[in-house]
Amino acid sequence: EPRSITPALFGIGAVDARYTYKIGPTYPGRIVRLDVHVGDAVAAGQLLGAMDPVDLGQRIGAQQAALKGGEAVLRQAEARQAFAQAQAKRYDALLATHVTSEESAASKRQELAVADAALGAAREDIRRLRAELDALRAQHANLNLMAPVAGLVVARDADPGTTVVAGQPAHQLPAPA
């Protein structure tokens, strides 16, 4: 009798998801707690566990203090640059009326150039310190292990107290199809 042939697959083995989210820290450390187990359903954005911040809080505090120090240096550089600018302008006016020497006016212009360079360096230092502080804050935020998608926990690769390196998974969730 004529009829359609339907494809079939038979075999022995394990079925894995095509893509799997491997959730782990971006910063090495010790796992403080894991809140879910294999077989637990999780929602997107759900907290799965947390890492020990070790000395991250102290490093953030030290970076904040360094930033305040850098801001003080920036204010000093701004004041020096403003004074050097006023002095250079004053000496250029005195030179125009032949009250001072060319050498004195050139010296004040050179002091202004040095003050401008110091101000630029102070501003760049502030940018660097802010970037480092932002990086530390991002590391601190990444201590919480969050579910990127809703799904079912298919593997738990670590336990509380385990020291893990950056990128080592603590949980695995299959990607939705």
Side-chain angles (χ1 to χ4, degrees):
E1 81 186 72
R3 65 180 165 159
S4 300
I5 300 175
T6 57
L9 178 66
F10 176 79
I12 298 173
V15 177
D16 287 330
R18 178 173 282 179
Y19 302 106
T20 303
Y21 287 98
K22 295 182 179 188
I23 300 122
T26 58
Y27 183 79
R30 186 174 52 87
I31 296 175
V32 175
R33 67 177 214 282
L34 294 175
D35 301 334
V36 295
H37 300 281
V38 173
D40 289 350
V42 296
Q46 180 178 337
L47 181 65
L48 304 179
M51 302 289 297
D52 182 7
V54 187
D55 65 344
L56 204 50
Q58 292 86 347
R59 289 175 49 207
I60 289 172
Q63 192 65 33
Q64 288 171 330
L67 183 58
K68 285 182 183 179
E71 288 169 346
V73 169
L74 176 62
R75 287 191 299 275
Q76 286 177 341
E78 288 170 340
R80 285 188 183 121
Q81 192 264 354
F83 179 74
Q85 194 171 36
Q87 287 292 89
K89 187 176 182 182
R90 183 170 151 250
Y91 270 76
D92 283 342
L94 290 173
L95 180 63
T97 59
H98 304 293
V99 176
T100 191
S101 69
E102 176 67 38
E103 184 178 331
S104 294
S107 174
K108 295 302 177 182
R109 287 191 296 271
Q110 192 268 342
E111 288 174 11
L112 176 59
V114 169
D116 286 342
L119 180 59
R123 286 181 176 147
E124 289 303 315
D125 195 42
I126 291 295
R127 283 190 196 103
R128 178 187 57 80
L129 291 169
R130 284 189 180 135
E132 289 174 359
L133 181 58
D134 290 345
L136 288 172
R137 286 180 174 151
Q139 282 181 348
H140 193 270
N142 287 336
L143 293 176
N144 290 328
L145 305 175
M146 308 294 279
V149 294
L152 193 67
V153 177
V154 295
R156 181 171 151 170
D157 301 322
D159 290 309
T162 304
T163 300
V164 293
V165 297
Q168 180 179 347
H171 292 97
Q172 293 185 37
L173 295 171

